[in-house]
Amino acid sequence: MIVTLKVAVRIALVLFVAILLQHTFLSMVEVFGASIWILPGLAAIFGLLGGSMVGATVGFSIGFLADGLTDGPLGTACLVFMAIGYATGLYRERGDQPPTLAAALIAGVATLAASVALGLFTVLLGFDGYLSSAALPDLLLQCFYGFLAAVPIFILTRRILRPALVEDRTSRLRRPTVFES
């Protein structure tokens, strides 16, 4: 991804709208006892679209804003989302841009990993939290909701950032010659 001033403004607007939507609406809606959480999937999507540095930077920004809006331990979401953005960015840099369903699967797994990591951080830092096997269905539901929400988020984010994306077009444009078998 080539980040110019216009692209940076687009990224900032996408992040602002997503965090505002998460904290004002999605966190209050529960379906089958679990709320929808789009922020880890968004960090993974930016890593898949922009690479490791963009993914880590956007993940840190998402985590910093999310930490500032909640009353949890400050800095934990920054670390978790930065790691998610960086890891998915490394995956992107090692291959071609994944298709939409693969990106949705990665975002679902990122949601599960973020839930587990933030839960462990909360318990290990001594905040009011506990580990229980009763949380497993909620974690799996959040993973599934992250998978479902990632499909439209990936498509919309890719469309918004299309001028800045760098794709490997050589494999698509290359046609076999007569001499190749």
Side-chain angles (χ1 to χ4, degrees):
M1 177 181 300
I2 301 170
V3 180
T4 61
L5 181 62
K6 289 181 181 180
V7 173
V9 169
R10 287 182 182 189
I11 291 172
L13 286 174
V14 168
L15 295 182
F16 178 74
V17 168
I19 290 172
L20 189 68
L21 181 69
Q22 176 67 49
H23 285 287
T24 58
F25 179 69
L26 293 176
S27 64
M28 296 182 189
V29 174
E30 288 190 3
V31 183
F32 300 117
S35 62
I36 301 168
W37 198 29
I38 63 170
L39 297 181
L42 189 65
I45 287 170
F46 270 99
L48 290 173
L49 291 176
S52 61
M53 293 309 292
V54 172
T57 305
V58 169
F60 181 84
S61 302
I62 291 170
F64 184 74
L65 291 172
D67 277 343
L69 292 174
T70 60
D71 60 349
L74 190 63
T76 56
C78 295
L79 292 174
V80 171
F81 292 158
M82 185 174 61
I84 288 172
Y86 184 74
T88 56
L90 283 179
Y91 175 77
R92 162 68 168 103
E93 290 171 356
R94 300 201 190 287
D96 211 12
Q97 186 174 350
T100 304
L101 288 179
L105 181 65
I106 291 169
V109 171
T111 304
L112 180 65
S115 297
V116 169
L118 287 175
L120 285 174
F121 272 136
T122 303
V123 170
L124 292 176
L125 291 176
F127 284 86
D128 291 334
Y130 59 91
L131 294 176
S132 171
S133 62
L136 186 63
D138 292 342
L139 289 175
L140 294 177
L141 275 175
Q142 274 190 344
C143 176
F144 180 68
Y145 296 153
F147 169 78
L148 290 180
V151 173
I153 291 171
F154 183 73
I155 293 170
L156 185 64
T157 306
R158 188 174 54 192
R159 180 162 293 176
I160 290 171
L161 299 176
R162 184 176 303 256
L165 297 179
V166 178
E167 296 176 334
D168 184 19
R169 297 174 192 257
T170 58
S171 62
R172 292 187 203 140
L173 296 177
R174 186 175 175 274
R175 296 180 187 205
T177 61
V178 178
F179 302 109
E180 291 181 353
S181 53

